[in-house]
Coordinates of all heavy atoms in Angstrom, one line a residue:
M250 N 0.5 -9.8 -4.4 CA -0.5 -9.6 -3.5 C -1.2 -10.9 -3.1 O -1.8 -10.9 -2.0 CB -1.6 -8.6 -4.0 CG -1.1 -7.1 -4.1 SD -0.5 -6.4 -2.5 CE -1.9 -6.4 -1.5
S251 N -1.2 -11.9 -3.9 CA -1.9 -13.1 -3.5 C -1.3 -13.8 -2.3 O -2.0 -14.4 -1.5 CB -1.9 -14.1 -4.7 OG -0.6 -14.4 -5.1
K252 N 0.0 -13.7 -2.2 CA 0.7 -14.2 -1.0 C 0.2 -13.5 0.3 O 0.0 -14.1 1.3 CB 2.2 -14.1 -1.1 CG 2.8 -15.1 -2.0 CD 4.3 -14.9 -2.1 CE 4.9 -15.8 -3.1 NZ 6.4 -15.6 -3.2
I253 N 0.1 -12.1 0.1 CA -0.4 -11.3 1.3 C -1.8 -11.7 1.6 O -2.2 -11.8 2.8 CB -0.2 -9.8 1.0 CG1 1.3 -9.5 0.8 CG2 -0.8 -9.0 2.1 CD1 1.6 -8.2 0.3
R254 N -2.6 -11.8 0.6 CA -4.1 -12.1 0.9 C -4.2 -13.4 1.5 O -5.0 -13.6 2.4 CB -4.9 -12.0 -0.4 CG -6.4 -12.1 -0.1 CD -7.2 -11.8 -1.3 NE -7.0 -12.8 -2.4 CZ -7.6 -12.8 -3.5 NH1 -8.5 -11.8 -3.8 NH2 -7.4 -13.7 -4.4
A255 N -3.5 -14.4 1.1 CA -3.5 -15.7 1.6 C -3.1 -15.7 3.1 O -3.8 -16.3 4.0 CB -2.7 -16.7 0.9
E256 N -2.1 -15.0 3.4 CA -1.6 -14.9 4.8 C -2.6 -14.1 5.7 O -2.8 -14.4 6.8 CB -0.2 -14.2 4.8 CG 0.5 -14.2 6.2 CD 1.0 -15.5 6.7 OE1 1.0 -16.5 5.9 OE2 1.4 -15.6 7.9
Y257 N -3.1 -13.0 5.1 CA -4.1 -12.1 5.8 C -5.3 -12.9 6.1 O -5.9 -12.8 7.2 CB -4.3 -10.9 5.0 CG -5.2 -9.8 5.6 CD1 -4.9 -9.3 6.9 CD2 -6.2 -9.3 5.0 CE1 -5.7 -8.4 7.5 CE2 -7.0 -8.3 5.5 CZ -6.7 -7.8 6.8 OH -7.5 -6.8 7.4
G258 N -5.8 -13.6 5.2 CA -7.0 -14.5 5.4 C -8.3 -13.8 5.4 O -9.3 -14.4 5.8
L259 N -8.4 -12.6 5.0 CA -9.6 -11.8 5.0 C -9.8 -11.2 3.6 O -8.8 -11.0 2.9 CB -9.7 -10.7 6.1 CG -9.7 -11.2 7.5 CD1 -9.4 -10.1 8.5 CD2 -11.0 -11.9 7.8
P260 N -11.0 -10.8 3.2 CA -11.2 -10.1 1.9 C -10.4 -8.8 1.9 O -10.2 -8.1 2.9 CB -12.7 -9.8 1.9 CG -13.3 -10.8 2.8 CD -12.3 -11.0 3.9
M261 N -9.8 -8.5 0.7 CA -9.1 -7.3 0.5 C -9.7 -6.5 -0.7 O -9.7 -7.0 -1.8 CB -7.6 -7.6 0.3 CG -6.9 -8.2 1.5 SD -5.2 -8.8 1.1 CE -4.3 -7.2 1.3
I262 N -10.2 -5.3 -0.4 CA -10.9 -4.5 -1.4 C -9.9 -3.5 -2.0 O -9.3 -2.7 -1.3 CB -12.1 -3.8 -0.8 CG1 -13.1 -4.8 -0.2 CG2 -12.7 -2.9 -1.8 CD1 -14.1 -4.2 0.7
V263 N -9.6 -3.7 -3.3 CA -8.7 -2.8 -4.0 C -9.5 -1.4 -4.2 O -10.5 -1.4 -4.9 CB -8.2 -3.4 -5.3 CG1 -7.3 -2.3 -6.0 CG2 -7.5 -4.7 -5.1
T264 N -8.9 -0.4 -3.7 CA -9.6 0.9 -4.0 C -8.8 1.7 -5.1 O -9.4 2.6 -5.7 CB -9.6 1.8 -2.7 OG1 -8.2 2.0 -2.3 CG2 -10.4 1.2 -1.6
S265 N -7.6 1.3 -5.4 CA -6.9 1.9 -6.5 C -5.8 1.0 -6.9 O -5.0 0.5 -6.1 CB -6.4 3.3 -6.2 OG -5.9 4.0 -7.3
G266 N -5.7 0.6 -8.2 CA -4.6 -0.2 -8.7 C -3.9 0.5 -9.8 O -3.3 1.6 -9.5
F267 N -3.9 0.0 -11.0 CA -3.2 0.6 -12.1 C -3.9 1.9 -12.4 O -5.1 2.0 -12.4 CB -3.2 -0.2 -13.4 CG -2.7 0.5 -14.6 CD1 -1.3 0.8 -14.7 CD2 -3.6 1.0 -15.5 CE1 -0.9 1.5 -15.8 CE2 -3.1 1.7 -16.6 CZ -1.8 2.0 -16.8
R268 N -3.1 3.0 -12.7 CA -3.7 4.3 -13.0 C -3.1 4.8 -14.3 O -1.8 4.8 -14.5 CB -3.4 5.4 -12.0 CG -4.0 5.1 -10.6 CD -3.6 6.1 -9.6 NE -4.0 5.7 -8.3 CZ -3.5 6.3 -7.2 NH1 -2.5 7.2 -7.2 NH2 -3.9 5.9 -6.0
S269 N -3.9 5.2 -15.2 CA -3.4 5.9 -16.4 C -2.8 7.3 -16.0 O -3.0 7.7 -14.9 CB -4.5 6.1 -17.4 OG -5.4 7.1 -16.9
E270 N -2.1 8.0 -16.9 CA -1.6 9.3 -16.6 C -2.8 10.2 -16.2 O -2.7 11.0 -15.3 CB -0.8 9.9 -17.8 CG 0.5 9.3 -17.9 CD 1.3 9.9 -19.1 OE1 1.0 11.1 -19.4 OE2 2.2 9.2 -19.6
A271 N -3.9 10.1 -16.9 CA -5.1 11.0 -16.6 C -5.6 10.6 -15.3 O -6.0 11.5 -14.5 CB -6.1 10.8 -17.7
D272 N -5.7 9.3 -14.9 CA -6.1 8.9 -13.6 C -5.2 9.5 -12.5 O -5.7 10.1 -11.5 CB -6.1 7.4 -13.4 CG -7.1 6.7 -14.2 OD1 -8.2 7.3 -14.6 OD2 -6.9 5.5 -14.5
E273 N -3.9 9.4 -12.8 CA -3.0 9.9 -11.8 C -3.1 11.4 -11.6 O -3.1 11.9 -10.4 CB -1.6 9.5 -12.2 CG -0.5 9.7 -11.1 CD -0.7 8.8 -9.9 OE1 -1.3 7.8 -9.9 OE2 -0.2 9.2 -8.8
A274 N -3.3 12.1 -12.7 CA -3.4 13.6 -12.6 C -4.6 14.0 -11.8 O -4.6 15.0 -11.1 CB -3.5 14.2 -14.0
R275 N -5.7 13.2 -11.9 CA -6.9 13.4 -11.1 C -6.8 13.0 -9.7 O -7.2 13.7 -8.8 CB -8.1 12.7 -11.8 CG -9.4 12.8 -11.1 CD -10.5 12.1 -12.0 NE -10.2 10.8 -12.4 CZ -10.3 9.7 -11.6 NH1 -10.8 9.8 -10.4 NH2 -10.0 8.5 -12.0
I276 N -6.2 11.8 -9.4 CA -6.2 11.2 -8.1 C -5.1 11.8 -7.2 O -5.3 12.0 -6.0 CB -6.1 9.7 -8.2 CG1 -7.3 9.1 -8.9 CG2 -5.9 9.0 -6.8 CD1 -7.2 7.7 -9.4
D277 N -3.9 11.9 -7.8 CA -2.8 12.3 -7.0 C -1.8 13.2 -7.8 O -0.7 12.8 -8.2 CB -2.0 11.0 -6.5 CG -0.9 11.3 -5.5 OD1 -0.8 12.5 -5.1 OD2 -0.2 10.4 -5.1
P278 N -2.3 14.4 -8.1 CA -1.5 15.3 -9.0 C -0.1 15.6 -8.5 O 0.8 15.9 -9.3 CB -2.4 16.5 -9.2 CG -3.3 16.5 -8.0 CD -3.5 15.0 -7.7
A279 N 0.1 15.5 -7.2 CA 1.4 15.8 -6.6 C 2.5 14.7 -7.0 O 3.7 14.9 -6.9 CB 1.3 15.9 -5.1
H280 N 2.0 13.5 -7.4 CA 2.9 12.4 -7.7 C 2.7 11.8 -9.0 O 2.2 10.7 -9.1 CB 2.8 11.4 -6.6 CG 3.2 11.9 -5.2 ND1 2.2 12.3 -4.3 CD2 4.3 12.2 -4.6 CE1 2.8 12.7 -3.2 NE2 4.1 12.7 -3.4
P281 N 2.9 12.5 -10.1 CA 2.6 12.1 -11.5 C 3.3 10.8 -11.9 O 2.9 10.1 -12.8 CB 3.0 13.2 -12.4 CG 4.0 14.0 -11.6 CD 3.6 13.9 -10.2
N282 N 4.4 10.5 -11.2 CA 5.2 9.3 -11.6 C 5.0 8.2 -10.5 O 5.9 7.3 -10.4 CB 6.7 9.6 -11.7 CG 6.9 10.6 -12.8 OD1 6.3 10.4 -13.9 ND2 7.7 11.6 -12.6
S283 N 3.9 8.2 -9.8 CA 3.7 7.1 -8.8 C 3.8 5.7 -9.4 O 3.5 5.6 -10.6 CB 2.4 7.3 -8.0 OG 1.4 6.6 -8.6
L284 N 4.1 4.8 -8.6 CA 4.1 3.4 -9.1 C 2.8 2.9 -9.5 O 2.7 1.8 -10.2 CB 4.8 2.5 -8.0 CG 6.3 2.8 -7.8 CD1 6.8 1.9 -6.7 CD2 7.0 2.5 -9.1
H285 N 1.7 3.6 -9.1 CA 0.4 3.2 -9.7 C 0.4 3.2 -11.2 O -0.3 2.5 -11.8 CB -0.7 4.1 -9.1 CG -1.1 3.8 -7.7 ND1 -1.9 2.7 -7.3 CD2 -0.8 4.4 -6.5 CE1 -2.1 2.7 -6.0 NE2 -1.4 3.7 -5.5
T286 N 1.1 4.2 -11.7 CA 1.1 4.3 -13.2 C 1.9 3.2 -13.9 O 1.9 3.1 -15.1 CB 1.7 5.7 -13.6 OG1 3.0 5.8 -13.2 CG2 0.9 6.8 -13.0
R287 N 2.7 2.4 -13.1 CA 3.5 1.3 -13.7 C 2.9 0.0 -13.2 O 3.6 -1.0 -13.3 CB 4.9 1.5 -13.3 CG 5.6 2.7 -13.9 CD 6.8 3.2 -13.2 NE 7.8 2.2 -13.0 CZ 8.8 2.3 -12.2 NH1 9.0 3.5 -11.6 NH2 9.7 1.3 -12.1
A288 N 1.7 0.0 -12.7 CA 1.1 -1.2 -12.2 C 2.0 -1.9 -11.1 O 2.1 -3.1 -11.1 CB 0.8 -2.2 -13.3
A289 N 2.6 -1.1 -10.3 CA 3.5 -1.6 -9.3 C 3.1 -1.2 -7.9 O 3.9 -1.4 -7.0 CB 5.0 -1.1 -9.6
A290 N 1.9 -0.7 -7.8 CA 1.3 -0.3 -6.5 C -0.2 -0.5 -6.5 O -0.8 -0.5 -7.5 CB 1.6 1.2 -6.2
C291 N -0.7 -0.8 -5.3 CA -2.1 -0.9 -5.2 C -2.5 -0.4 -3.8 O -1.7 -0.5 -2.8 CB -2.7 -2.3 -5.5 SG -2.3 -3.5 -4.3
D292 N -3.7 0.1 -3.7 CA -4.3 0.5 -2.4 C -5.4 -0.4 -2.0 O -6.3 -0.7 -2.8 CB -4.9 2.0 -2.5 CG -3.8 3.0 -2.9 OD1 -2.6 2.7 -2.7 OD2 -4.2 4.0 -3.5
I293 N -5.4 -0.8 -0.7 CA -6.4 -1.7 -0.2 C -7.2 -1.0 0.9 O -6.6 -0.4 1.8 CB -5.7 -3.0 0.4 CG1 -4.8 -3.7 -0.6 CG2 -6.8 -3.9 1.0 CD1 -5.5 -4.3 -1.8
Y294 N -8.5 -1.1 0.8 CA -9.4 -0.4 1.7 C -9.1 -0.8 3.1 O -9.0 -2.0 3.4 CB -10.8 -0.7 1.3 CG -11.9 -0.1 2.1 CD1 -12.0 1.3 2.1 CD2 -12.7 -0.8 2.9 CE1 -13.0 1.9 2.9 CE2 -13.8 -0.2 3.7 CZ -13.9 1.1 3.6 OH -14.9 1.7 4.4
D295 N -8.9 0.2 4.0 CA -8.6 -0.1 5.4 C -8.9 1.1 6.3 O -8.0 1.8 6.7 CB -7.2 -0.5 5.6 CG -6.8 -1.0 7.0 OD1 -7.6 -1.8 7.5 OD2 -5.8 -0.6 7.5
P296 N -10.2 1.4 6.5 CA -10.6 2.7 7.1 C -10.1 2.8 8.6 O -10.1 1.8 9.3 CB -12.1 2.7 7.0 CG -12.5 1.3 6.9 CD -11.4 0.6 6.2
D297 N -9.9 4.0 9.0 CA -9.8 4.4 10.4 C -11.2 4.2 11.0 O -12.2 4.4 10.3 CB -9.3 5.8 10.5 CG -7.8 5.9 10.3 OD1 -7.1 4.9 10.4 OD2 -7.4 7.1 10.1
P298 N -11.3 4.0 12.3 CA -10.2 3.9 13.3 C -9.7 2.5 13.4 O -8.7 2.3 14.1 CB -10.9 4.4 14.6 CG -12.3 4.0 14.5 CD -12.6 4.1 13.0
E299 N -10.4 1.6 12.8 CA -10.0 0.2 13.1 C -8.6 -0.2 12.6 O -7.8 -0.8 13.3 CB -11.0 -0.8 12.4 CG -10.9 -2.2 12.9 CD -12.0 -3.1 12.4 OE1 -13.1 -2.5 12.1 OE2 -11.8 -4.3 12.2
K300 N -8.3 0.3 11.3 CA -6.9 0.0 10.7 C -6.5 -1.5 10.8 O -5.4 -1.8 11.2 CB -5.9 0.9 11.4 CG -6.1 2.4 11.2 CD -4.9 3.2 11.6 CE -4.8 3.2 13.1 NZ -3.9 4.2 13.6
R301 N -7.5 -2.4 10.6 CA -7.2 -3.8 10.8 C -6.0 -4.3 9.9 O -5.1 -5.0 10.4 CB -8.5 -4.6 10.4 CG -8.3 -6.1 10.5 CD -9.6 -6.7 10.1 NE -10.3 -7.2 11.2 CZ -11.5 -7.8 11.2 NH1 -12.0 -8.0 10.0 NH2 -12.1 -8.2 12.3
L302 N -6.1 -3.9 8.6 CA -5.0 -4.4 7.7 C -3.7 -3.7 8.1 O -2.6 -4.3 8.1 CB -5.4 -4.1 6.3 CG -4.3 -4.4 5.2 CD1 -3.9 -5.9 5.3 CD2 -4.8 -4.0 3.8
W303 N -3.7 -2.4 8.4 CA -2.5 -1.7 8.7 C -1.8 -2.3 10.0 O -0.6 -2.6 10.0 CB -2.7 -0.2 9.0 CG -1.5 0.5 9.4 CD1 -1.2 0.9 10.7 CD2 -0.4 0.9 8.6 NE1 0.0 1.5 10.7 CE2 0.5 1.6 9.4 CE3 -0.1 0.8 7.2 CZ2 1.7 2.1 9.0 CZ3 1.1 1.4 6.8 CH2 2.0 2.0 7.6
N304 N -2.6 -2.6 11.0 CA -2.1 -3.2 12.2 C -1.6 -4.6 11.9 O -0.5 -5.0 12.5 CB -3.2 -3.2 13.3 CG -3.5 -1.8 13.8 OD1 -2.6 -0.9 13.8 ND2 -4.7 -1.5 14.2
W305 N -2.2 -5.3 11.1 CA -1.8 -6.6 10.7 C -0.4 -6.5 10.0 O 0.5 -7.3 10.3 CB -2.8 -7.3 9.8 CG -2.4 -8.7 9.3 CD1 -2.6 -9.9 9.9 CD2 -1.6 -9.0 8.1 NE1 -2.0 -10.9 9.2 CE2 -1.5 -10.4 8.1 CE3 -1.1 -8.2 7.1 CZ2 -0.8 -11.0 7.0 CZ3 -0.5 -8.9 6.0 CH2 -0.3 -10.3 6.0
C306 N -0.2 -5.5 9.1 CA 1.0 -5.3 8.4 C 2.2 -5.0 9.4 O 3.3 -5.6 9.2 CB 0.9 -4.2 7.4 SG -0.1 -4.5 5.9
I307 N 1.9 -4.2 10.4 CA 2.9 -3.8 11.3 C 3.4 -5.1 12.1 O 4.6 -5.2 12.4 CB 2.4 -2.8 12.3 CG1 2.0 -1.5 11.6 CG2 3.4 -2.5 13.4 CD1 3.2 -0.9 10.8
N308 N 2.4 -6.0 12.4 CA 2.8 -7.2 13.1 C 3.4 -8.3 12.2 O 4.0 -9.2 12.7 CB 1.5 -7.8 13.8 CG 1.1 -6.9 15.0 OD1 1.9 -6.4 15.7 ND2 -0.2 -6.8 15.1
K309 N 3.3 -8.1 10.9 CA 3.8 -9.1 9.9 C 4.9 -8.5 9.1 O 5.1 -8.9 7.9 CB 2.7 -9.5 9.0 CG 1.6 -10.4 9.7 CD 2.2 -11.8 9.8 CE 1.1 -12.7 10.2 NZ 1.6 -14.1 10.2
M310 N 5.7 -7.6 9.6 CA 6.7 -6.9 8.8 C 7.7 -7.8 8.3 O 8.2 -7.7 7.1 CB 7.4 -5.8 9.6 CG 8.0 -4.7 8.8 SD 7.0 -4.0 7.5 CE 5.7 -3.1 8.4
D311 N 8.1 -8.8 9.0 CA 9.1 -9.8 8.5 C 8.6 -10.5 7.2 O 9.3 -10.7 6.3 CB 9.5 -10.8 9.5 CG 10.3 -10.2 10.7 OD1 10.8 -9.1 10.5 OD2 10.5 -10.9 11.7
F312 N 7.3 -10.9 7.3 CA 6.7 -11.5 6.1 C 6.6 -10.6 5.0 O 6.9 -11.0 3.8 CB 5.2 -12.0 6.5 CG 4.4 -12.4 5.4 CD1 4.7 -13.7 4.8 CD2 3.4 -11.7 4.9 CE1 3.9 -14.1 3.7 CE2 2.6 -12.1 3.8 CZ 2.9 -13.3 3.2
L313 N 6.3 -9.3 5.2 CA 6.2 -8.3 4.1 C 7.6 -8.1 3.5 O 7.7 -7.9 2.3 CB 5.5 -7.0 4.6 CG 4.1 -7.2 5.1 CD1 3.5 -5.9 5.5 CD2 3.2 -7.8 4.0
V314 N 8.6 -8.1 4.3 CA 10.0 -7.9 3.8 C 10.3 -9.1 2.9 O 10.8 -9.0 1.8 CB 11.0 -7.8 4.9 CG1 12.4 -8.0 4.4 CG2 10.8 -6.5 5.7
E315 N 9.9 -10.3 3.3 CA 10.2 -11.5 2.6 C 9.4 -11.5 1.2 O 10.0 -11.9 0.2 CB 9.7 -12.7 3.4 CG 9.9 -14.1 2.8 CD 9.3 -15.2 3.6 OE1 9.5 -15.2 4.9 OE2 8.6 -16.0 3.1
V316 N 8.2 -11.1 1.2 CA 7.4 -11.0 0.0 C 7.9 -9.9 -0.9 O 7.9 -10.0 -2.1 CB 5.9 -10.7 0.4 CG1 5.1 -10.4 -0.9 CG2 5.3 -11.9 1.1
G317 N 8.4 -8.8 -0.3 CA 9.0 -7.7 -1.1 C 8.1 -6.6 -1.4 O 7.9 -6.2 -2.6
V318 N 7.4 -6.0 -0.4 CA 6.6 -4.9 -0.6 C 7.0 -3.8 0.4 O 7.6 -4.0 1.5 CB 5.1 -5.2 -0.4 CG1 4.6 -6.1 -1.5 CG2 4.8 -5.7 1.0
W319 N 6.7 -2.5 0.0 CA 6.9 -1.4 0.8 C 5.6 -0.7 1.0 O 4.7 -0.8 0.2 CB 7.9 -0.4 0.1 CG 9.3 -0.9 0.1 CD1 10.3 -0.5 1.0 CD2 9.9 -1.9 -0.7 NE1 11.4 -1.2 0.7 CE2 11.2 -2.1 -0.3 CE3 9.4 -2.7 -1.7 CZ2 12.1 -3.0 -0.9 CZ3 10.3 -3.7 -2.3 CH2 11.6 -3.8 -1.9
L320 N 5.4 0.0 2.2 CA 4.2 0.6 2.5 C 4.3 2.1 2.7 O 5.3 2.6 3.3 CB 3.7 0.1 3.9 CG 3.6 -1.5 4.0 CD1 3.2 -1.8 5.5 CD2 2.7 -2.1 3.1
E321 N 3.3 2.8 2.2 CA 3.3 4.3 2.5 C 2.8 4.5 3.9 O 1.9 3.8 4.4 CB 2.2 4.9 1.5 CG 2.2 6.4 1.5 CD 1.2 6.9 0.5 OE1 1.7 7.0 -0.7 OE2 0.0 7.0 0.7
D322 N 3.5 5.5 4.6 CA 3.1 5.8 6.0 C 1.6 6.0 6.1 O 1.0 6.8 5.3 CB 3.9 7.0 6.4 CG 3.8 7.3 7.9 OD1 2.7 7.3 8.4 OD2 4.8 7.5 8.5
R323 N 1.0 5.5 7.1 CA -0.4 5.6 7.3 C -0.9 7.0 7.4 O -2.1 7.3 7.1 CB -0.8 4.8 8.6 CG -2.2 4.7 8.9 CD -3.0 3.9 7.9 NE -4.4 4.0 8.2 CZ -5.3 3.1 7.8 NH1 -4.9 2.0 7.1 NH2 -6.6 3.3 8.0
L324 N -0.1 7.9 7.9 CA -0.5 9.3 8.0 C -0.9 9.9 6.7 O -1.7 10.8 6.7 CB 0.7 10.1 8.6 CG 1.1 9.9 10.0 CD1 2.4 10.6 10.3 CD2 0.0 10.3 11.0
Y325 N -0.4 9.3 5.6 CA -0.6 9.9 4.3 C -1.7 9.1 3.5 O -2.1 9.5 2.4 CB 0.6 10.0 3.4 CG 1.7 10.8 4.1 CD1 2.6 10.2 5.0 CD2 1.7 12.2 4.0 CE1 3.6 11.0 5.6 CE2 2.6 12.9 4.6 CZ 3.6 12.3 5.5 OH 4.5 13.1 6.1
S326 N -2.2 8.1 4.1 CA -3.3 7.3 3.4 C -4.2 6.7 4.5 O -4.2 5.6 4.8 CB -2.7 6.2 2.6 OG -1.7 5.4 3.4
P327 N -5.0 7.6 5.1 CA -5.8 7.2 6.3 C -7.0 6.2 6.0 O -7.5 5.6 6.9 CB -6.4 8.5 6.8 CG -6.4 9.4 5.6 CD -5.2 9.0 4.8
A328 N -7.3 6.0 4.7 CA -8.5 5.1 4.4 C -8.0 3.8 3.7 O -8.8 3.0 3.4 CB -9.5 5.8 3.6
H329 N -6.7 3.7 3.5 CA -6.3 2.5 2.8 C -4.8 2.2 3.1 O -4.1 3.1 3.7 CB -6.4 2.7 1.3 CG -5.5 3.8 0.7 ND1 -6.0 5.1 0.5 CD2 -4.2 3.8 0.3 CE1 -5.0 5.8 0.0 NE2 -3.9 5.0 -0.1
V330 N -4.4 1.1 2.8 CA -2.9 0.7 2.9 C -2.4 0.7 1.4 O -2.9 0.0 0.6 CB -2.7 -0.6 3.5 CG1 -1.2 -1.0 3.6 CG2 -3.3 -0.6 5.0
H331 N -1.3 1.5 1.2 CA -0.7 1.5 -0.1 C 0.5 0.5 -0.1 O 1.4 0.7 0.7 CB -0.2 2.9 -0.4 CG 0.8 3.0 -1.5 ND1 0.4 3.5 -2.8 CD2 2.1 2.8 -1.6 CE1 1.4 3.5 -3.6 NE2 2.5 3.1 -2.9
F332 N 0.4 -0.5 -0.9 CA 1.5 -1.4 -1.1 C 2.2 -1.1 -2.4 O 1.5 -0.8 -3.4 CB 1.0 -2.8 -1.2 CG 0.3 -3.4 0.0 CD1 -1.0 -3.2 0.2 CD2 1.1 -4.1 1.0 CE1 -1.6 -3.8 1.4 CE2 0.5 -4.6 2.1 CZ -0.9 -4.4 2.3
Q333 N 3.5 -1.3 -2.5 CA 4.2 -1.2 -3.7 C 5.4 -2.2 -3.7 O 5.9 -2.6 -2.7 CB 4.7 0.2 -4.0 CG 5.8 0.8 -3.0 CD 6.2 2.2 -3.4 OE1 5.3 3.1 -3.5 NE2 7.5 2.5 -3.5
I334 N 5.7 -2.6 -5.0 CA 6.7 -3.7 -5.1 C 8.1 -3.2 -5.4 O 9.0 -4.0 -5.5 CB 6.3 -4.7 -6.2 CG1 6.1 -4.0 -7.5 CG2 5.0 -5.4 -5.8 CD1 5.9 -5.0 -8.7
Y335 N 8.3 -1.9 -5.4 CA 9.7 -1.3 -5.6 C 9.9 -0.4 -4.4 O 9.0 0.2 -3.9 CB 9.8 -0.6 -6.8 CG 9.7 -1.4 -8.1 CD1 8.6 -1.1 -9.0 CD2 10.5 -2.5 -8.3 CE1 8.5 -1.9 -10.1 CE2 10.4 -3.2 -9.5 CZ 9.3 -3.0 -10.4 OH 9.2 -3.7 -11.5
P336 N 11.2 -0.4 -3.9 CA 11.5 0.5 -2.8 C 11.4 2.0 -3.2 O 11.7 2.4 -4.3 CB 12.9 0.2 -2.4 CG 13.5 -0.5 -3.6 CD 12.4 -1.1 -4.4
P337 N 11.0 2.8 -2.2 CA 11.0 4.3 -2.5 C 12.4 4.8 -2.5 O 13.4 4.0 -2.1 CB 10.2 4.8 -1.3 CG 10.5 3.9 -0.2 CD 10.6 2.5 -0.8
A338 N 12.6 6.0 -2.9 CA 14.0 6.6 -2.9 C 14.7 6.5 -1.5 O 15.9 6.3 -1.5 CB 13.9 8.1 -3.3
S339 N 13.9 6.6 -0.5 CA 14.5 6.6 0.9 C 14.9 5.2 1.3 O 15.7 5.0 2.2 CB 13.4 7.1 1.9 OG 12.4 6.1 2.0
G340 N 14.3 4.2 0.6 CA 14.6 2.8 0.9 C 13.9 2.3 2.1 O 14.0 1.1 2.5
K341 N 13.2 3.2 2.8 CA 12.5 2.8 4.0 C 11.3 1.9 3.7 O 10.5 2.2 2.8 CB 12.0 4.0 4.8 CG 13.2 4.9 5.3 CD 12.6 6.0 6.1 CE 13.8 6.8 6.7 NZ 13.4 8.0 7.5
R342 N 11.1 0.9 4.6 CA 10.0 -0.1 4.3 C 8.7 0.6 4.5 O 7.7 0.3 3.8 CB 10.2 -1.3 5.3 CG 9.3 -2.4 5.1 CD 9.5 -3.1 3.8 NE 10.8 -3.6 3.6 CZ 11.2 -4.3 2.5 NH1 10.3 -4.7 1.6 NH2 12.4 -4.7 2.4
I343 N 8.6 1.5 5.5 CA 7.4 2.4 5.6 C 7.9 3.8 5.3 O 8.7 4.3 6.0 CB 6.8 2.3 7.0 CG1 6.3 0.9 7.3 CG2 5.7 3.3 7.2 CD1 5.8 0.6 8.7
F344 N 7.4 4.4 4.2 CA 7.9 5.6 3.7 C 7.0 6.7 3.7 O 5.7 6.6 3.6 CB 8.5 5.4 2.3 CG 7.5 5.0 1.3 CD1 6.9 6.0 0.5 CD2 7.1 3.7 1.1 CE1 5.9 5.7 -0.4 CE2 6.1 3.4 0.2 CZ 5.5 4.3 -0.6
T345 N 7.5 7.9 3.6 CA 6.7 9.2 3.4 C 6.7 9.4 1.9 O 7.7 9.4 1.2 CB 7.5 10.3 4.1 OG1 7.6 10.1 5.5 CG2 6.7 11.6 3.9
P346 N 5.5 9.6 1.4 CA 5.4 9.8 -0.1 C 5.9 11.1 -0.5 O 6.1 12.1 0.2 CB 3.9 9.7 -0.3 CG 3.2 10.1 1.0 CD 4.2 9.6 2.0
Ligands
LIG652 ZN1 -1.4 4.1 -3.5

């Protein structure tokens, strides 16, 4: 994430990082094995309607591919950008959770 923050050049507020099993059960019970439980995902605050970070990511996709992160589709995380360092089962760079 430090490479992304340096390139983004603005403060990035983590709204969710590592989650214990209990955290995950409370926050996202539909995905008990999310990469948050393996310290391989983090959520960065990015509220609608501005979506400043999300729009930056869309414009910097080549950079994000080089860094090696995948993003959850914005439709499923309207107040933050979910980054993860392992590909989802679909392999898609922007994926449906
Ligand atoms: Zn997340």
Side-chain angles (χ1 to χ4, degrees):
M250 287 305 295
S251 60
K252 288 180 184 175
I253 295 170
R254 187 169 66 179
E256 184 75 11
Y257 185 50
L259 293 169
M261 296 173 79
I262 300 167
V263 177
T264 59
S265 192
F267 171 75
R268 298 176 189 163
S269 67
E270 286 183 25
D272 289 338
E273 190 66 21
R275 178 176 49 83
I276 296 167
D277 188 6
H280 300 99
N282 298 314
S283 94
L284 290 177
H285 283 282
T286 63
R287 292 161 52 193
C291 70
D292 298 336
I293 305 295
Y294 183 64
D295 187 43
D297 280 343
E299 193 172 334
K300 296 189 288 191
R301 178 184 258 178
L302 176 58
W303 177 259
N304 291 330
W305 180 86
C306 287
I307 297 303
N308 288 321
K309 288 285 193 172
M310 200 51 67
D311 289 347
F312 171 72
L313 296 179
V314 168
E315 180 185 316
V316 170
V318 294
W319 286 259
L320 309 175
E321 187 174 274
D322 191 311
R323 181 69 186 204
L324 291 173
Y325 301 92
S326 51
H329 64 266
V330 177
H331 166 102
F332 293 90
Q333 64 182 52
I334 61 171
Y335 297 118
S339 69
K341 292 183 177 178
R342 190 63 57 172
I343 296 174
F344 64 94
T345 300

